[in-house]
Amino acid sequence: MNCGERKTAYIGMGSSLGNRLQFLQNALCSMHRSDQSIQVTGVSPVYETPHMGLTPEDSERYPPHFNAVARISSLLAPRQLLAELQLAEEKAGRQREQKWGPRTLDLDLLLYEGVQMHAPELTLPHPGLLQRAFVLLPLAALEPKLILPDGARLEEWLHKPIIKKQQAVQTRQQLHIPQYAEEM
Ligand code: ADP
Ligand code: MG
């Protein structure tokens, strides 16, 4: 725990199997805690992206992904938060059979306020953050003015060729921020 101090973090969410929208909505609900240790405070639009597998054929073989980014306010420290995200993936029945294979739910910790670290089990910012249109586009839609830990502006990255050549299309699907019972 952060000793009562709340920190802002961003979670990248993806699903490519089954009811993809429902998996993303359930992920938001399972992150939002009744003890308020994690509060979901914002969510991006949903983007649809071809499957990025290990080989070019994988994008034809496997269904496209739904991706979105959530902003949370967390009392949990980064490693505790990652453990919670992995638990939510397990609850969604995620199997880890194949690297970059299709999955019911993928939850990545993209950014955690004030933390930069390089451990194999947790790297922050997430190493794919600036390489993947399906992460960058929803994050920029949610937080257009975001400044990265190295001082770069997120929006500068949207125009890079590595992002422009990838397909990620905003859908009309919407996710809802979970509410606490007393707020309803
Ligand atoms: P991917 O997200 O690249 O498809 P996985 O979800 O299977 O792959 O994650 C592989 C490993 O990446 C996990 O075991 C996790 O410990 C590690 N990892 C390192 N940094 C992060 C991060 N910022 N967010 C999520 N997982 C991370
Ligand atoms: Mg992951």
Side-chain angles (χ1 to χ4, degrees):
M1 288 273 185
N2 290 333
C3 223
E5 207 185 340
R6 306 203 73 92
K7 298 284 182 185
T8 299
Y10 294 90
I11 312 298
M13 310 189 293
S15 173
S16 69
L17 284 176
N19 188 335
R20 299 169 298 168
L21 191 68
Q22 195 63 57
F23 277 117
L24 298 187
Q25 185 61 57
N26 290 350
L28 285 178
C29 294
S30 65
M31 272 190 256
H32 202 70
R33 289 305 156 78
S34 53
D35 67 359
Q36 308 207 1
S37 56
I38 304 173
Q39 295 172 333
V40 177
T41 60
V43 66
S44 74
V46 176
Y47 286 72
E48 192 167 45
T49 317
H51 183 82
M52 178 190 84
L54 288 177
T55 69
E57 297 77 51
D58 282 355
S59 62
E60 286 143 43
R61 212 173 341 181
Y62 296 119
H65 291 240
F66 271 178
N67 291 100
V69 169
R71 182 180 59 234
I72 64 168
S73 159
S74 176
L75 284 177
L76 303 184
R79 281 195 166 84
Q80 293 172 310
L81 187 54
L82 181 66
E84 293 300 322
L85 299 181
Q86 290 173 341
L87 213 60
E89 289 178 340
E90 264 175 51
K91 273 206 290 185
R94 174 163 179 183
Q95 311 278 326
R96 288 178 192 273
E97 283 156 0
Q98 184 195 342
K99 185 174 165 66
W100 293 349
R103 67 278 299 270
T104 49
L105 183 62
D106 182 41
L107 296 176
D108 291 330
L109 182 47
L110 303 176
L111 290 162
Y112 187 104
E113 186 183 343
V115 177
Q116 294 187 65
M117 59 185 283
H118 289 274
E121 73 283 3
L122 183 57
T123 297
L124 287 169
H126 188 284
L129 174 66
L130 298 174
Q131 315 291 320
R132 299 173 178 173
F134 64 81
V135 178
L136 216 47
L137 266 62
L139 180 58
L142 176 64
E143 216 67 88
K145 302 275 172 237
L146 193 75
I147 306 288
L148 298 163
D150 65 359
R153 286 184 299 134
L154 182 75
E155 61 190 351
E156 284 167 23
W157 282 85
L158 297 175
H159 309 293
K160 305 263 179 191
I162 185 174
I163 299 301
K164 287 239 168 229
K165 68 177 191 217
Q166 297 175 42
Q167 272 183 57
V169 178
Q170 187 176 331
T171 71
R172 305 175 84 154
Q173 311 287 348
Q174 285 193 352
L175 293 165
H176 303 285
I177 298 175
Q179 304 287 317
Y180 294 109
E182 64 269 26
E183 295 171 3
M184 291 165 83

